[in-house]
Amino acid sequence: MGKPRVVVGLGSCGIAAGAADVYRRLEALLGEGMADFELKRTSCAGMCYNEPLVGIKDEKGDYLYGKIHEGNAEKLIEDHLLKGRIMKGHLVSSSVMATGEDVFFDSQVKISLRNCGEIDPESIDEYMSRGGYEAVRRIINENTGSDEIIGIITESGLRGRGGGGFLTGNKWRFARENGPGEKYVICNADEGDPGAFMDRSLLEGDPHSVLEGII
């Protein structure tokens, strides 16, 4: 691979814990030429209690470090990138070795949140590199009709997640049958469960998936 990649989690939980200061410190170290690496940003990976989170991807694998603050960010770069030494006291996940936090991720199967903590949420190119907007592209290229699209969604069994489990295909069909004229789609991002923050994670971490769903 090319340069090592250093990725800072800049979801609102990370920023509240000081991740923006970590990012600025890493920018300064990069500008000073301390080490040669690619600095990237991502969103919340779900492990809010270990924020700020900093991921490093090098030729050996992936490493996720927790509770990295402005004061120890330089040590992380020095140890991991310059000395090849793992900061085991801060390592919370890795593709190379087991950690005490592995149980947190092991049982998770991410669907809506699959890109959160993996991509730069503000990069349409990173979203598209993981299959984003492929459904929209197919509809346009294949000139798929509205009735056919509604049929596909109905047959898929896709349902609303608000508790009623109403078929999405039926909602789309009712809207289509409601006559001509302007119609509006409202993105309801209300947090129904206090402290759950599912919508916050999706909107911050993978906004293009929301836009594609609306389209």
Side-chain angles (χ1 to χ4, degrees):
M1 62 175 292
K3 298 178 183 179
R5 177 175 293 184
V6 179
V7 185
V8 182
L10 287 169
S12 57
C13 52
I15 292 173
D21 294 329
V22 174
Y23 189 87
R24 284 191 288 268
R25 181 60 180 146
L26 293 173
E27 272 188 320
L29 295 174
L30 188 59
E32 294 165 6
M34 177 183 176
D36 190 17
F37 57 91
E38 182 183 3
L39 182 60
K40 304 279 290 182
R41 66 183 68 210
T42 190
S43 62
C44 175
M47 195 180 277
C48 304
Y49 62 92
N50 266 323
E51 294 283 4
L53 292 163
V54 177
I56 295 181
K57 182 179 180 66
D58 59 21
E59 70 278 358
K60 294 180 181 178
D62 298 312
Y63 305 82
L64 184 63
Y65 291 98
K67 297 181 179 175
I68 300 298
H69 49 78
E70 187 178 11
N72 64 10
E74 182 173 349
K75 178 172 172 54
L76 173 63
I77 297 302
E78 180 181 355
D79 281 9
H80 192 112
L81 296 186
L82 300 182
K83 297 180 179 179
R85 188 167 61 199
I86 307 301
M87 285 180 64
K88 291 186 177 180
H90 290 270
L91 189 67
V92 297
S93 180
S94 174
S95 63
V96 177
M97 62 184 70
T99 77
E101 297 278 7
D102 284 344
V103 66
F104 179 84
F105 291 111
D106 283 348
S107 60
Q108 294 187 24
V109 179
K110 294 184 177 181
I111 300 174
S112 296
L113 301 178
R114 63 192 178 280
N115 291 328
C116 297
E118 299 291 335
I119 66 171
D120 180 344
E122 297 182 9
S123 171
I124 188 173
D125 292 329
E126 289 194 26
Y127 177 68
M128 292 178 68
S129 73
R130 295 170 68 94
Y133 292 114
E134 184 59 34
V136 175
R137 183 184 296 110
R138 285 182 57 190
I139 288 170
I140 294 172
N141 290 345
E142 298 173 12
N143 197 25
T144 311
S146 299
D147 289 330
E148 184 181 351
I149 294 170
I150 291 171
I152 291 170
I153 296 299
T154 303
E155 290 175 16
S156 75
L158 182 66
R159 295 177 178 272
R161 306 295 289 178
F166 203 74
L167 280 170
T168 303
N170 285 349
K171 295 180 183 180
W172 288 14
R173 181 167 53 82
F174 294 156
R176 177 171 169 74
E177 292 174 352
N178 196 36
E182 283 191 339
K183 297 183 176 69
Y184 297 87
V185 177
I186 298 172
C187 176
N188 178 8
D190 175 59
E191 295 287 0
D193 300 321
F197 305 123
M198 297 90 67
D199 295 333
R200 185 272 300 178
S201 296
L202 185 60
L203 290 169
E204 288 184 356
D206 196 13
H208 283 287
S209 69
V210 178
L211 294 175
E212 183 171 17
I214 289 173
I215 293 170

